[in-house]
């Protein structure tokens, strides 16, 4: 468990908070490129780290991420006119470019130089791999974007999706680095005889209590959970936490699977889940992440299990699921009672969502009782808090200036028992490497 003070440090991300300042050292996924699809398209409200911002694409296609409030009389820039390389406040016509400079002030006399003295808060933005990246930190010389393989490949190879989650980013992230829940939350109704022999899922449900290796890394933390497979072999699941909110889950084949997931804090009580994936590297060519078809076991739920509500224009109006707390996530108690579905909730993505949101907006970690299966969760919390405290002492996280640290892969692998878990997977964990003898199916 954590102390109340540590839980506050870990979960609060607004301006001036210790964790919030750590987050601001990194580029953040802000919105999908498709949400501001063309020059002079409609502005979009976004909230990041508790700050209300307006995103727009100007006439030249450049991205602007600016304060919601016009610096004149504080009217919302969401209602502004996106025209001729700037967003114009409709109250008095003040117009700002993507850098936050006031480029027109028609309410002032022509001879006035007042516009040269006024700026609106603006953050740097980059468009890559279907994601609009936002930098909210203090550096004038911007750090590099992280070398996430799933976000760096040619158009047509990758897919990107987002889901709003109504809880703090830490408990959402922790679901991705907790491997033992797979055999219960997602595969609880599956017995070994119901899984394909020799598949990863077979080994998971045959032994539901894996053992663990967990280490600190320059990018964050890594775990490998292992359990008996065939004679003289172990089935290993490699997964990573990467600063400050990324996870690479172990659901595919190590050396093949290409994905990255991000749990971006919208504010203290809401998180945007990002799934960046190369579908061809996933079992069945699915969209990846928790929603990809699994190895010989149908646990994905009915079609439409992750249907979205229509996107709205509010601060929390984007990428919300139709199954949610208001309708009890469409739980089917009959399916639960008859063990057709262990949870009664359809689909892995939604199953993860219900348990993390059910903890409350910010989980009370002072009341937890953690076991050996929580080793990765414990180490990751410590890693985040240590990095935030070190930043207060002027020590920046190594990963900020070393984007190559993000060029890794996760997944499952069968190894002889005598093989060292790190040395034996060194090449398989490298990104941008092809292994012709491997396939996405296991």
């Amino acid at each position: 468990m954590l102390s109340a003070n540590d839980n506050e440090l870990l979960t609060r991300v607004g301006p001036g908070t210790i964790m919030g300042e750590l987050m601001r050292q990194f580029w953040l996924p802000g919105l999908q490129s498709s949400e501001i699809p063309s020059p002079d398209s409609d502005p979009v409200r976004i909230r990041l780290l508790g700050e209300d911002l307006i995103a727009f694409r100007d006439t030249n296609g450049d991205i602007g991420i600016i304060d919601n409030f016009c610096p004149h009389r504080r009217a919302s820039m969401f209602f502004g006119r996106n025209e001729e390389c700037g967003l114009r406040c409709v109250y008095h016509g003040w117009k700002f470019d993507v850098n936050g400079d006031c480029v027109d002030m028609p309410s002032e006399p022509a001879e006035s130089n007042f516009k040269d003295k006024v700026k609106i808060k603006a953050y740097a933005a980059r468009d890559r791999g279907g994601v609009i990246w936002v930098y909210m930190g203090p550096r004038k010389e911007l750090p590099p974007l992280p070398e996430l393989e799933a976000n760096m490949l040619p158009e047509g190879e990758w897919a990107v999706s987002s889901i709003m989650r109504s809880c703090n980013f830490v408990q959402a992230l922790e679901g991705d680095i907790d491997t033992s829940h797979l055999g219960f939350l997602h595969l609880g109704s599956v017995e070994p005889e119901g899984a394909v022999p020799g598949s990863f899922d077979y080994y998971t449900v045959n032994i539901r209590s894996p053992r663990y290796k967990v280490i600190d890394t320059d990018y964050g933390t890594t775990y490998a959970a292992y359990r008996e497979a065939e004679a003289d072999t172990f089935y290993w699941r490699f997964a990573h936490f990467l600063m400050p909110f990324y996870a690479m889950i172990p659901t595919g084949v190590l050396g093949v699977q290409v994905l990255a997931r991000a749990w971006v804090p919208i504010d203290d009580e809401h998180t945007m889940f990002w799934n960046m994936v190369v579908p061809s590297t996933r079992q069945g060519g699915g969209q990846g992440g928790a929603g990809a078809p699994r190895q010989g076991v149908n646990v994905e739920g009915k079609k439409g299990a992750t249907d979205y509500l229509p996107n709205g224009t509010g601060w929390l109006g984007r990428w919300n699921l139709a199954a949610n707390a208001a309708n009890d996530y469409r739980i089917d108690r009959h399916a639960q009672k008859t063990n057709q579905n262990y949870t009664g909730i359809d689909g892995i993505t939604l199953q993860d969502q219900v348990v993390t949101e059910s903890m409350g907006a910010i989980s009370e970690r002072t009341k937890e009782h953690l076991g050996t299966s929580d080793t990765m969760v414990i180490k990751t919390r410590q890693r985040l808090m240590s990095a935030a405290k070190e930043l207060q002492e002027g020590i920046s996280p190594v990963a900020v200036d070393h984007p190559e640290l993000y060029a890794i892969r996760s997944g499952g692998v069968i190894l002889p028992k005598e093989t060292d878990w790190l040395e034996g997977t060194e090449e398989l964990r490298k990104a941008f490497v092809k292994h012709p003898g491997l396939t996405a199916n296991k």
Side-chain angles (χ1 to χ4, degrees), residues 18-59:
I18 294 177
M19 190 57 63
E21 291 307 302
L22 177 68
M23 294 286 167
R24 286 165 172 81
Q25 306 303 305
F26 297 86
W27 285 93
L28 315 174
L31 70 163
Q32 292 190 32
S33 305
S34 60
E35 294 183 76
I36 44 175
S38 58
D40 295 331
S41 54
D42 294 345
V44 173
R45 290 187 180 102
I46 66 168
R47 179 177 291 163
L48 287 172
L49 305 181
E51 297 187 35
D52 289 341
L53 305 168
I54 303 298
F56 69 100
R57 194 184 295 268
D58 76 3
T59 310

Side-chain angles (χ1 to χ4, degrees), residues 91 103 108 190 218 242 250 253 298 313 318 367 381 404:
Y91 199 7
V103 296
E108 291 294 305
V190 179
D218 286 338
L242 305 96
V253 175
N298 180 17
T313 60
R318 301 162 43 243
K367 299 180 180 180
R381 291 177 185 177
E404 73 279 2

Side-chain angles (χ1 to χ4, degrees), residues 103-298:
V103 296
D104 192 22
M105 194 177 282
S107 62
E108 291 294 305
E111 64 274 15
S112 172
N113 66 351
F114 187 35
K115 74 177 181 62
D116 299 327
K117 302 176 181 179
V118 176
K119 288 180 68 75
I120 192 170
K121 180 170 63 178
Y123 292 125
R126 299 288 183 270
D127 191 345
R128 189 184 76 179
V131 178
I132 303 296
W133 295 85
V134 182
Y135 180 70
M136 300 172 67
R139 296 191 183 189
K140 292 182 180 179
E141 183 175 340
L142 301 177
L145 288 171
E147 292 182 8
L148 293 163
E149 185 178 12
N151 184 246
M152 298 179 68
L153 299 178
E155 183 108 23
E157 293 188 22
W158 49 261
V160 62
S161 59
S162 309
I163 297 176
M164 180 72 75
R165 191 166 289 191
S166 296
C167 66
N168 183 261
F169 87 98
V170 179
Q171 65 211 60
L173 166 69
E174 287 172 352
D176 269 2
I177 56 174
D178 164 17
T179 194
S180 67
H181 83 266
L182 173 65
F184 301 93
L185 183 68
H186 305 314
L187 297 174
S189 297
V190 179
E191 298 299 330
E193 56 270 21
V196 176
S199 69
F200 288 172
D201 279 347
Y202 174 82
Y203 300 132
T204 297
V205 298
N206 193 45
I207 300 176
R208 299 182 196 256
S209 55
R211 289 169 284 174
Y212 298 85
K213 303 285 188 179
V214 184
I215 58 171
D216 285 330
T217 64
D218 286 338
Y219 52 77
T221 50
T222 282
Y223 80 75
Y226 63 104
R227 41 171 64 86
E228 297 276 346
E230 302 306 318
D232 300 320
T233 64
F234 286 132
Y235 163 43
W236 292 85
R237 286 168 55 85
F238 281 78
H240 317 288
F241 158 70
L242 305 96
M243 288 284 182
F245 43 54
Y246 298 100
M248 292 184 180
I249 59 175
T251 51
V253 175
L254 184 64
V256 178
Q257 174 178 262
V258 177
L259 61 73
R261 293 153 67 94
W263 300 95
V264 182
I266 300 302
D267 53 32
D268 292 346
E269 299 184 353
H270 299 88
T271 302
M272 190 64 78
F273 163 50
W274 287 83
N275 192 38
M276 295 170 263
V277 65
V278 177
S280 64
T281 69
R282 298 281 294 160
Q283 165 84 12
Q287 288 292 310
R294 297 195 57 78
Q295 301 90 352
V297 179
N298 180 17

